[in-house]
Amino acid sequence: MSTKRPIKIAPSILTADFGRLADEVQAAEAGGADYIHLDVMDGRFVPNLSFGPSIVAAVRAATQLPLDVHLMIEDPDRYLADFAEAGATFLTVHVEACIHLHRTVQRITELGCRAGVTLNPATPVEALREIIPFVDMVLVMSVNPGFGAQRFIETATNKLRRVRRMVEELNPLCDVEVDGGIDTHNIDDVVRSGANVIVVGSAVFNSRAPVAENIAALRKAARGALWREI
Ligand code: DX5
Ligand code: ZN
C-alpha cells in the first residue's frame, strides 16, 4: 500500500532563546512551522531538566499552532491534566515510562488531547504493536532523549520503515514523527523512510540564520520526498 501526505515541520523550542520565547515561537509560525514541539524533561527519565506546564501555557498564548508536547518524564499520568489545561494539543509519552500504557493513552484522549507514544532508540518496534490502534501519533526517537543538538543515530531510518509498515497495517491515519538530529542533510531520508511529522530543534533555532530561513531550507531539502512504500 502507498500513502502520500504532506509533511509537517515541528520546531522544538529547546534551543530557542527563552528570554524572547514568544518572539521565537511567532517567528516559527510566520516562517511556516506546522506545530510547536515542547520537550518536557524531569531529570529522572532523562538526565536533564527543562520546563513544565507554565511554559506550555506561555507558548499557548503566543501562537495559534498546535502544541506537540513530548513528555520525557517518569509516571506521566501525574501531570497529564496539567499539560492538557496548559493547552497541549498532542501529549506524547514514552512506552518505557508507562506501566499501564493503554490507560495512559485513554486518559490523554479523555482530556481532549491527541495521544502520542514514543520509544527510545534501543526499544524494539514491537513494543508499539498493541497500542498503535489507539493513538494518533507514533514518535521514533533518532537520538537518546535528553538534549538538543545531538548526532542522528543512523539506524533510525530503518526503524522508521518498520514503524511505518506497522502503522499502515494497524492504523493508517496515525502520524509517524521523528525527533533528534534532523537537519537539511537527512530530512529527505527520514521522510522517505516513513516520517510525516519532523521535529527539528537546533537546525531551526540557532545563531546561524533566522528561523524562517532555516524552516524554508528544511522544506526545500524535503521537497517532493513524500513517503512511499520502499
Ligand atoms: C531530545 C528532544 C528533541 C530535541 C531535538 O531529547 O526530544 O526534541 O530537542 O533537537 P535537535 O533537532 O537539535 O536534535
Ligand atoms: Zn522531543
Side-chain angles (χ1 to χ4, degrees):
M1 191 205 289
S2 126
T3 301
K4 286 197 170 187
R5 51 183 123 185
I7 62 160
K8 294 190 187 299
I9 294 188
S12 160
I13 61 166
L14 203 57
T15 53
D17 178 351
F18 276 63
R20 309 172 31 251
L21 188 53
D23 291 348
E24 295 271 71
V25 166
Q26 282 157 12
E29 182 168 8
D34 297 290
Y35 300 154
I36 300 294
H37 184 86
L38 297 107
D39 287 305
V40 177
M41 305 180 184
D42 66 354
R44 289 183 66 85
F45 183 72
V46 290
N48 196 9
L49 287 164
S50 60
F51 51 78
S54 58
I55 293 285
V56 176
V59 173
R60 180 67 293 156
T63 179
Q64 301 294 320
L65 293 179
L67 302 188
D68 175 27
V69 178
H70 176 193
L71 298 176
M72 285 162 274
I73 64 178
E74 282 184 3
D75 194 8
D77 299 48
R78 294 174 297 160
Y79 297 106
L80 295 176
D82 294 334
F83 283 106
E85 200 177 321
T89 311
F90 288 89
L91 281 175
T92 294
V93 295
H94 274 260
V95 302
E96 304 87 355
C98 299
I99 295 173
H100 300 289
L101 181 60
H102 182 273
R103 181 181 290 152
T104 303
V105 163
Q106 229 172 7
R107 182 81 185 118
I108 292 171
T109 306
E110 280 165 12
L111 287 165
C113 297
R114 295 171 73 78
V117 290
T118 182
L119 64 196
N120 287 332
T123 303
V125 169
E126 204 50 38
L128 295 170
R129 181 173 292 280
E130 302 303 324
I131 202 67
I132 280 179
F134 302 97
V135 297
D136 302 291
M137 184 152 75
V138 170
L139 166 59
V140 173
M141 290 306 301
S142 42
V143 297
N144 287 295
F147 302 93
Q150 299 184 83
R151 198 191 174 97
F152 182 81
I153 298 172
E154 297 293 338
T155 51
T157 48
N158 179 284
K159 193 174 190 180
L160 273 168
R161 278 193 203 99
R162 285 176 285 135
V163 168
R164 169 55 76 182
R165 278 196 201 107
M166 199 181 268
V167 162
E168 290 298 311
E169 179 194 335
L170 300 170
N171 183 1
L173 294 179
C174 179
D175 288 311
V176 177
E177 183 176 47
V178 64
D179 183 4
I182 314 288
D183 59 21
T184 52
H185 299 103
N186 58 16
I187 188 166
D188 193 62
D189 286 346
V190 294
V191 174
R192 285 181 189 280
S193 300
N196 68 294
V197 181
I198 320 297
V199 178
V200 191
S202 52
V204 166
F205 293 107
N206 58 43
S207 53
R208 295 191 295 276
V211 166
E213 226 172 85
N214 286 332
I215 294 174
L218 285 157
R219 269 203 204 285
K220 189 164 173 228
R223 190 192 301 265
L226 298 177
W227 179 77
R228 64 178 185 278
E229 179 70 82
I230 299 167

